[in-house]
Amino acid sequence: MTEATRHTPGTPCWVSLMVHGLDATQDFYGALFGWEFSPGPQQLGPYVRALLDGKEVAGIGRLPADRHLPIAWTPYMATNDADVTAEAIRSACGTVAVGPLDAGEAGRLLVGSDPAGAVFGVWQPAAHRGTAVYGTHGTPAWNELLTRDTSSVGKFYEAVFGYELETAVSADFDHLTLCLEGRPVAALRGVGNALPRDRGSHWMTSFEVEDTDEAARRVVALGGHVLQTPRESSRGRLATVADPEGAVFTIVRSAAR
């Protein structure tokens, strides 16, 4: 377990999920990851923070009944100034859909999308600094953008967040690692026509688990679905799953553990 103190601007620092059934969703993730919950800022409606040993790891909010938005985990990138980042997003041909706005004393946020339509958030911390612990069961492990090709959106994220782009040298796949000060913080993966038509370009969050196979079985027992069965990868043993409302995420036993 590693405790986070300060997130370098551009680093994914929080993940949040907006759902219709807040209570049922808390039951699912509480049983899967051992999360407990405490109230969070209510500016956008009912919202709770997920805790492990009293430390904040993620957020879940309730969508208004008349809003039929895709149910998806959204990563938030750290910033020192959400308003400046909003202008950078617009200048790079992205869209700012929500904010920037204050979340009480917690901080300031915005929700935007890149030129290919992938949704992400931006978080300017105040009292709430973001995910407080990593490297143990139930904590965010990695964020990867699945898009048609990485060339144009890579330039967008480089311009907005100052990432260094590390290109995988291969004719077989299209992959960019986003680095800050030489440290990998996220990735972009171009999947061409394999991009799901019903989802389009989107960010995928991975959560750390003790045992990928057991966690996948647990997802099904709790009413979720396994979309890609457990398999070995360069990052460890992982599986792609969905919660009962359809939010897709990855579970992984990291190779580094």
Side-chain angles (χ1 to χ4, degrees), residues 157-245:
Y157 288 101
E158 180 183 28
V160 173
F161 297 108
Y163 296 129
E164 304 134 20
L165 305 182
E166 186 178 291
T167 306
V169 182
S170 171
D172 298 325
F173 58 92
D174 176 14
H175 190 273
L176 281 178
T177 302
L178 306 180
C179 299
L180 289 170
E181 301 172 350
R183 180 175 64 91
V185 296
L188 313 181
R189 180 153 56 100
V191 296
N193 293 330
L195 191 68
R197 291 186 179 182
D198 59 338
R199 296 197 66 198
S201 185
H202 62 280
W203 281 92
M204 175 81 79
T205 295
S206 299
F207 291 95
E208 191 72 41
V209 292
E210 284 295 326
D211 183 320
T212 305
D213 296 76
E214 176 56 33
R217 288 190 288 269
R218 189 86 170 130
V219 165
V220 174
L222 293 168
H225 305 276
V226 174
L227 305 180
Q228 289 184 297
T229 56
R231 60 201 182 278
E232 298 298 332
S233 77
S234 59
R235 291 195 293 111
R237 187 164 179 79
L238 55 81
T240 306
V241 300
D243 70 18
E245 283 206 29

Side-chain angles (χ1 to χ4, degrees), residues 6 8 11 18 23 25 33 37 39 65-66 71 89 91 95 125 127 132 148 151 159 174 190 195 203 224 247:
R6 178 183 175 274
T8 302
T11 305
M18 300 297 289
D23 291 343
T25 300
F33 292 143
F37 299 91
D66 60 345
I71 308 298
I89 290 169
S91 296
T95 301
R148 191 168 296 279
S151 57
D174 176 14
L195 191 68
W203 281 92

